[in-house]
Amino acid sequence: MIHNFNSGPSILPKEVFKEASEAIINFNNTGLSILEIGHRTSLFQAVLDEAIATLKELMQLDDGHEILFLHGGASTQFFQVPMNLLNENETAAYLDCGTWGTKAIKEAKLYGNVEVVASSKDKNYTYIPKNYTIPSNAKYFHYTTNNTIEGTEMLDIPQTNIPLIADMSSDILSHVMDFNRFDLIYAGAQKNIGAAGVNIVVVKKDILGKVSRKLPTMMDYRSHIENGSMLNTPPVFAVYVCMLTLRWLKQQGGVSAIEKINNIKAKLLYDTLDSLPIFRATVAKEDRSKMNVVFVIDDENLEKEFLASCKENGMVAIKGHRSVGGFRASLYNALPLSSVQALTDLMKDFANKKG
Ligand SMILES: *Cc1c(COP(=O)(O)O)cnc(C)c1O
């Protein structure tokens, strides 16, 4: 039995793997593979339409928001956002609360001024800064909802009257939130929505077209909107896998239903961590991520032993990110509760033997 705690690309529902593999041989009984159909066919248009409609329904988006499927991963959004929204003499506000946010800040500085409103760098990003002010004259405010590497998450949406932008790569659709509050949302699909190779951008149309710089057509959100995410060849298979995963999520009862299970999974793992002194969760309690649970064992030898024990018991990718060390268990939507139970049983067993 394999338990896949990968942080991304990561576990997807079994049903999705099965259907996607069948579609590689014979897509929808057409006798054709999904890999050999043209993107401008009615076959693929139906896939894209269903992906967009399902996402819109799951996020309960209003009509002012457009959904795009783009290339280049979330990392491309780090620069595409300021390129489309920030003039050189203007200032954007950023919250610095993790590795990915730091990268977004670096790219934004290529296009305009950046004001970092708060940072948790002083404590290795183990908490979310609070009580900061978002300047009301900034062009937009950008933050990362879930810090995949460090294991912190911001569940509440910051209060501001300037355009709100979020990188939701690792917790999109994991819990209910008012997505309409955002002017732009982006997420690499490979963590909670589908296969690598595509990212989702949700953008409010009326914030676009206001910068003075010239934009390459491929970088201009408006050209992608006009062309329905088919300005050039989209990543057909990756979009297809997203559509299947979104369809699966809808069948589970949508975001509110998966949130209940995600809460149970995260609670089980954190309660176990808190009850076993041999393990130590690394981030501030109130900021703990429900998607990426980061923890350590302070004794280096025991850490190695536990890692080996995980390996023996089919726990995949439990080793922490190289910049943080220790362990990281990613509990994305598709990870079953039984995998968290297997991990916590192993932890209890290990603590009993070594503690
Ligand atoms: C993984 C990740 C990224 C980078 O995504 P790519 O698709 O590899 O560019 C950006 N932000 C967050 C929060 C992530 O978890």
Side-chain angles (χ1 to χ4, degrees), residues 73-75 78 100 144 146 148 167 169-170 190-191:
S75 301
F78 294 163
W100 294 114
T144 314
N146 182 68
T148 326
D167 175 359
S169 293
S170 51
Q190 70 273 23
K191 279 148 192 159

Side-chain angles (χ1 to χ4, degrees), residues 10-23:
S10 36
I11 188 168
L12 292 174
K14 286 266 182 300
E15 298 91 315
V16 169
F17 291 140
K18 186 163 181 293
E19 202 161 344
S21 64
E22 283 163 3

Side-chain angles (χ1 to χ4, degrees), residues 39-316:
H39 58 290
R40 299 196 193 277
T41 56
S42 56
L43 289 173
F44 180 68
Q45 189 63 55
V47 169
L48 185 59
D49 289 348
E50 184 177 343
I52 290 171
T54 312
L55 189 58
K56 193 164 182 180
E57 187 184 331
L58 289 169
M59 296 176 85
Q60 297 182 11
L61 288 174
D62 59 32
D63 291 331
H65 286 83
E66 297 282 339
I67 293 175
L68 299 172
F69 285 84
L70 303 179
H71 305 255
S75 301
T76 294
Q77 295 310 308
F78 294 163
F79 71 85
Q80 195 168 356
V81 165
M83 195 184 208
N84 277 266
L85 301 176
L86 186 64
N87 278 315
E88 220 158 298
N89 57 349
E90 292 170 338
T91 300
Y94 277 71
L95 186 66
D96 175 30
C97 51
T99 307
W100 294 114
T102 309
K103 288 180 199 260
I105 289 167
K106 178 170 177 259
E107 301 302 300
K109 284 179 179 166
L110 298 171
Y111 295 95
N113 304 311
V114 170
E115 181 177 335
V116 176
V117 297
S119 170
S120 51
K121 194 176 180 194
D122 57 342
K123 288 187 182 161
N124 293 323
Y125 300 114
T126 52
Y127 69 101
I128 301 283
K130 296 167 189 82
N131 303 321
Y132 50 86
T133 338
I134 301 172
S136 58
N137 59 348
K139 209 59 203 294
Y140 61 81
F141 175 65
H142 176 286
Y143 76 107
T144 314
T145 50
N146 182 68
N147 295 289
T148 326
I149 293 175
E150 294 84 1
T152 59
E153 187 173 18
M154 261 170 90
L155 295 174
D156 294 331
I157 304 173
Q159 286 296 335
T160 174
N161 48 19
I162 64 173
L164 193 55
I165 297 184
D167 175 359
M168 297 194 185
S169 293
S170 51
D171 71 343
I172 190 167
L173 303 182
S174 68
H175 66 96
V176 173
M177 69 193 299
D178 183 0
F179 294 102
N180 289 309
R181 289 268 305 279
F182 294 85
D183 295 79
L184 194 149
I185 294 165
Y186 61 91
Q190 70 273 23
K191 279 148 192 159
N192 218 14
I193 291 194
V198 67
N199 52 285
I200 284 155
V201 173
V202 175
V203 58
K204 221 173 181 172
K205 236 172 158 174
D206 62 14
I207 62 165
L208 302 175
K210 292 175 183 167
V211 283
S212 53
R213 78 174 55 82
K214 288 180 181 146
L215 298 168
T217 314
M218 273 297 285
M219 284 297 122
D220 191 334
Y221 293 120
R222 288 173 306 169
S223 28
H224 290 283
I225 292 171
E226 275 161 32
N227 289 277
S229 293
M230 285 222 252
L231 181 58
N232 70 330
T233 315
V236 170
F237 188 67
V239 173
Y240 176 66
V241 175
C242 284
M243 184 279 278
L244 293 178
T245 310
L246 294 167
R247 192 192 266 171
W248 169 86
L249 181 54
K250 188 176 156 181
Q251 284 163 357
Q252 304 308 302
V255 180
S256 61
I258 210 78
E259 177 177 9
K260 290 200 185 91
I261 303 170
N262 288 338
N263 284 342
I264 294 170
K265 290 181 332 199
K267 185 173 181 333
L268 174 60
L269 184 45
Y270 283 118
D271 283 353
T272 306
L273 278 169
D274 292 340
S275 71
L276 304 173
I278 190 171
F279 296 100
R280 181 167 59 81
T282 51
V283 309
K285 231 174 193 167
E286 66 274 20
D287 300 323
R288 288 173 166 181
S289 167
K290 291 179 190 174
M291 292 283 101
N292 310 98
V293 179
V294 175
F295 58 99
V296 295
I297 299 177
D298 287 316
D299 180 324
E300 208 177 304
N301 288 328
L302 285 180
E303 198 161 275
K304 279 189 191 131
E305 251 183 81
F306 183 65
L307 200 59
S309 168
C310 285
K311 210 169 173 181
E312 265 165 41
N313 288 279
M315 313 276 159
V316 175

